[in-house]
Each structure stands twice: as structure tokens, then as C-alpha cells.
Amino acid sequence: MRALRMAAGLSGGQLALASEISASMRSRIERGLVSPSVATLERLAQGLQVPVSRFFGDPARRTDFCHVRAGQGLVVDRIGAVAGYRYELLGHSLSGNLFVEPYLVTLVPEAGPYATFQPPGLKSLYFLSEAVTYRYGSKAFEVNGGDTLLVDATALHGIEAIHSGPVSYLSVVFTLRA
């Protein structure tokens, strides 16, 4: 409850007031000295503007946190990877129904265009450097460093032309687990 209160930017007194409970009761609940009734939990949830279920998650068991230091991503060989496309895995998700794959993609100098990617899911691309023509279905876009694309990855897509190099971009693919 304390983490939720702090995330909401509320002091203990503000939460007590918003929840219509006494400040001392709020403090005892937050410190684990008393077990609140369901009615009190409902009032606290309303004061925090969260569903009651947020109190019952076990954040210590969550495994969806990952910290990868700069330059220390795992270089991976992806099945069906295009020659000259270097994939550096920047994290992973291990829990929940959403599978997330963030990659730093770097095209080595001899890499060529490849506009027929078609994985499942939704893909977000943030271009870090240089100009390319990016194909998405029947449309082509001129893309530069700092540009972002969000695409339904099931449509044919990819770099159609490289205008200058080196080319690198952040690619995050989101898919639902079966």
C-alpha cells in the first residue's frame, strides 16, 4: 500500500482523508500491524484510485524486470535472420500473457535491404541513425534518425532501401502468449 500511495504522490494524511479512515488506522495498515476489513480496503482503493485487486499482487514474485547495461545486450542469432542484420537482445519478459522482445538492430556495412519481415504481433521501431526507405505493405516511407513506426507486424514490412549508413534502430515486438 505504501508503494501505491507514493506512486500516487499522496502523503499518509492525504490518503487517510481521501479514503475516509483515520490517519492512525492508515499508518497501522501500511506498517502491517492490523488487517483491514474488506470495506476499509475498498475505501483505500478508492482513495488511491486503483482496483482492490492491486493490494493482492505479490510484487516480490514478479519476474518482469530486466536491467541491461549499455553495450551489454545479448547478441542473438534469430531463426531466419537476414544476413547482415545484427540483433542485440535488450531485455525479456518472463511473466504474464504479453511477450516482449526489445532488440537493438544494427545493419553491418554489407547488409542489404529486406522488406519481407512478417512475424506475429505488434512492432514498434525507433530509428537511431541515418536515412532508409521503409516498406509497410503497399506503402513506402522515408525514415530518419529519431523517427518512430508502430506497425501490425503481420503485414510484410522492412527496410526497402538504405540511403546512408550505418543504420541502427530499436525494435520491440509485442505478442500474446498462447
Side-chain angles (χ1 to χ4, degrees), residues 118-129:
Q118 198 174 16
L122 187 67
K123 184 186 281 188
S124 177
L125 302 161
Y126 177 76
F127 287 81
L128 301 165
S129 61

Side-chain angles (χ1 to χ4, degrees), residues 32-52:
L33 301 175
V34 297
S35 295
S37 67
V38 172
T40 300
L41 282 176
E42 287 174 350
R43 288 196 303 271
L44 285 164
Q46 287 174 348
L48 290 165
Q49 298 181 349
V50 298
V52 174

Side-chain angles (χ1 to χ4, degrees), residues 1-10 48 50-51 54-55:
M1 185 173 81
R2 183 174 191 269
L4 291 171
R5 177 176 62 78
M6 293 180 78
L10 297 173
L48 290 165
V50 298
R54 287 293 299 272
F55 296 129

Side-chain angles (χ1 to χ4, degrees), residues 72-95:
Q72 295 184 1
L74 178 64
V75 176
V76 297
D77 288 325
R78 296 192 53 182
I79 295 173
V82 179
Y85 284 60
R86 180 181 180 270
Y87 292 88
E88 184 179 344
L89 184 62
L90 301 178
H92 54 81
S93 62
L94 297 175
S95 64

Side-chain angles (χ1 to χ4, degrees), residues 62-176:
R62 293 195 63 126
T63 57
D64 57 355
F65 174 81
C66 188
H67 177 199
V68 177
R69 295 199 182 277
Q72 295 184 1
L74 178 64
V75 176
V76 297
D77 288 325
R78 296 192 53 182
I79 295 173
V82 179
Y85 284 60
R86 180 181 180 270
Y87 292 88
E88 184 179 344
L89 184 62
L90 301 178
H92 54 81
S93 62
L94 297 175
S95 64
N97 292 331
L98 184 63
F99 186 66
V100 181
E101 291 180 286
Y103 290 97
L104 174 60
V105 181
T106 306
L107 278 60
V108 298
E110 62 273 8
Y114 187 82
T116 55
F117 286 109
Q118 198 174 16
L122 187 67
K123 184 186 281 188
S124 177
L125 302 161
Y126 177 76
F127 287 81
L128 301 165
S129 61
E130 300 313 324
V132 300
T133 300
Y134 200 88
R135 166 79 43 198
Y136 180 71
S138 63
K139 299 177 183 167
F141 303 90
E142 297 304 313
V143 180
N144 295 293
D147 290 355
T148 302
L149 299 173
L150 180 64
V151 300
D152 174 348
T154 59
L156 289 174
H157 64 279
I159 294 175
E160 183 172 83
I162 301 168
H163 303 299
S164 59
V167 174
S168 63
Y169 57 93
L170 177 64
S171 172
V172 184
V173 180
F174 304 89
T175 54
L176 292 176

